[in-house]
Amino acid sequence: MDTIITVCQVLLSLSILVILHECGHFFPAKWFKTRVEKFYLFFDPWFSLFKVQKGETEYGIGWLPLGGYVKISGMIDESMDKEQMEGPIQPWEFRAKPAWQRLIIMLGGVIVNFILGILIFAMVAWIYGDTFFTTEAIKDGIRTTELGREIGFRDGDMVMKVGDVSIDKFGEGKVITELIINQAKTVGVKRDDQMVTLTMPDDISNRLAKQSEGAKIYTLRMANDILNVSEDLNAAKSGIKAGDRILAIDGQPAEYRKEFTEVFNSLRGKTATLDVLR
C-alpha cells in the first residue's frame, strides 16, 4: 500500500507540473488567436486513456507518463505533424503570427516553470524559514577538530572573517567554501576579546577536501548544562538537578562537553567530585 501511495504521489506531482507547463503554451496561443488542436497530459501514441472535444481543442490523458504536449496549428511539436506544414498558411496558425508572439508562445512553458520554482521556494521558506545562530550569539565559541587545531584554531575562538568575507552566521560551511573555492589565505577569529589573524597553510584546500563527513574544522562548543535528570541514575542520587552547569570533575575543568567527556572517560568506575553552578 505504501508503494502504491508513493507512485500515486509521484504521478500527481508530475501531472501538476506538466499541466502548468503546457498551460504556459496554451494560454498565450489562445490570447493570440492561434488554434490549439490538442492539450494532453502524458503522451498518447496509438491510443489515449481519456479524451474529450471542446470547441477546436481535444483535451485528453495519454498512457505514457513522460510529459505532455499541446498541438498548435502550424507548428512542428511533439506530434511531429509535418503534413499540415505543406498546405497554405492560415491566419489561425502559429506560423502566421508575428515573431514576438511566436516567441512568447514557445517560451510560455519555461516562464511558468521559472515562476513556479520561485513560488515553491517562497512557500517552503515561508513555512519552514531559515533557522541559524548569528556569530555574535555563540558566546562559548567553537569546538575544534584535530585539523582545526593543526591549522591554528583553538577551542573558544569565534570565527569572524575568512579572507575579506565577514562571517555573520555560525557554521563552518562558508569558511570551507572560501578556503577551497576562493582560495582564502587568512581567517580572523576573536580570541579572549582580541582579534587574531590565522594564516592558512598552502595545502589547506586539499586537506579539507580529503576530510570525511562531519565537521572539518570546528563545530559548536556546548556547555554542560543539565536539561533533565532521570531519577533512577546516579546523577540524581548524587544531587545533580536540572539547570545545573558542570564546571569541573575532581578539580579538572569540564565546563564544556569535550573536556567533560575526556575527564569522565578517564574516571570510569571511580568516585568523583563535581563542581556545579546552580
Side-chain angles (χ1 to χ4, degrees):
M1 182 58 70
D2 290 341
T3 301
I4 294 175
I5 292 175
T6 301
V7 171
C8 290
Q9 290 173 335
V10 171
L11 288 176
L12 177 61
S13 301
L14 179 61
S15 299
I16 294 172
L17 292 175
V18 169
I19 290 173
L20 290 175
H21 175 87
E22 299 306 333
C23 282
H25 299 299
F26 177 82
F27 285 110
K30 287 292 189 179
W31 291 334
F32 298 136
K33 301 188 184 305
T34 307
R35 181 175 294 174
V36 180
E37 299 175 15
K38 290 185 177 182
F39 186 117
Y40 262 76
L41 169 63
F42 305 148
F43 296 120
D44 61 328
W46 304 297
F47 69 94
S48 59
L49 301 177
F50 168 82
K51 62 181 179 180
V52 61
Q53 187 75 33
K54 287 191 176 183
E56 63 187 20
T57 306
E58 176 185 304
Y59 300 89
I61 300 176
W63 61 270
L64 188 60
L66 296 179
Y69 71 97
V70 290
K71 186 177 186 301
I72 299 174
S73 297
M75 178 181 182
I76 297 295
D77 53 17
E78 292 90 342
S79 63
M80 296 301 292
D81 184 5
K82 299 180 180 179
E83 295 181 2
Q84 189 181 65
M85 307 297 287
E86 297 175 357
I89 299 176
Q90 302 298 326
W92 61 79
E93 289 185 332
F94 174 81
R95 55 181 173 164
K97 303 302 177 181
W100 67 273
Q101 293 184 3
R102 298 199 304 269
L103 181 63
I104 292 175
I105 293 172
M106 288 189 297
L107 294 180
V110 176
I111 293 172
V112 168
N113 286 355
F114 180 75
I115 295 174
L116 181 63
I118 293 175
L119 290 176
I120 291 174
F121 179 82
M123 291 304 298
V124 170
W126 178 267
I127 294 172
Y128 296 103
D130 182 15
T131 302
F132 61 90
F133 290 109
T134 63
T135 300
E136 294 292 346
I138 308 301
K139 301 302 182 183
D140 294 318
I142 64 173
R143 170 183 173 180
T144 57
T145 64
E146 182 177 352
L147 174 59
R149 290 189 294 275
E150 288 179 6
I151 61 179
F153 290 91
R154 295 183 186 175
D155 289 346
D157 284 350
M158 295 176 62
V159 182
M160 309 300 294
K161 197 173 185 180
V162 54
D164 295 326
V165 178
S166 296
I167 304 300
D168 300 320
K169 299 179 181 180
F170 177 81
E172 66 168 4
K174 183 66 175 178
V175 175
I176 291 175
T177 299
E178 290 297 320
L179 291 176
I180 295 180
I181 305 300
N182 297 325
Q183 300 291 307
K185 298 301 182 182
T186 60
V187 177
V189 301
K190 183 184 288 186
R191 180 179 298 166
D192 299 328
D193 294 327
Q194 294 183 345
M195 287 300 302
V196 177
T197 299
L198 306 178
T199 301
M200 297 293 101
D202 294 335
D203 63 344
I204 184 60
S205 59
N206 292 332
R207 295 170 70 179
L208 286 171
K210 293 178 181 179
Q211 290 293 302
S212 59
E213 295 182 3
K216 298 177 184 293
I217 302 177
Y218 61 84
T219 185
L220 181 64
R221 191 186 195 198
M222 301 180 67
N224 274 315
D225 292 325
I226 306 301
L227 300 180
N228 54 66
V229 182
S230 181
E231 294 183 357
D232 57 343
L233 296 182
N234 287 333
K237 297 174 183 177
S238 65
I240 294 178
K241 297 181 179 180
D244 287 350
R245 171 176 289 194
I246 298 175
L247 301 179
I249 305 177
D250 278 354
Q252 301 182 61
E255 184 176 356
Y256 298 99
R257 298 286 175 86
K258 179 181 177 182
E259 293 85 352
F260 175 84
T261 301
E262 293 173 351
V263 177
F264 185 84
N265 289 338
S266 68
L267 295 173
R268 286 187 179 277
K270 301 179 181 179
T271 300
T273 301
L274 300 182
D275 294 336
V276 302
L277 179 65
R278 178 172 298 167

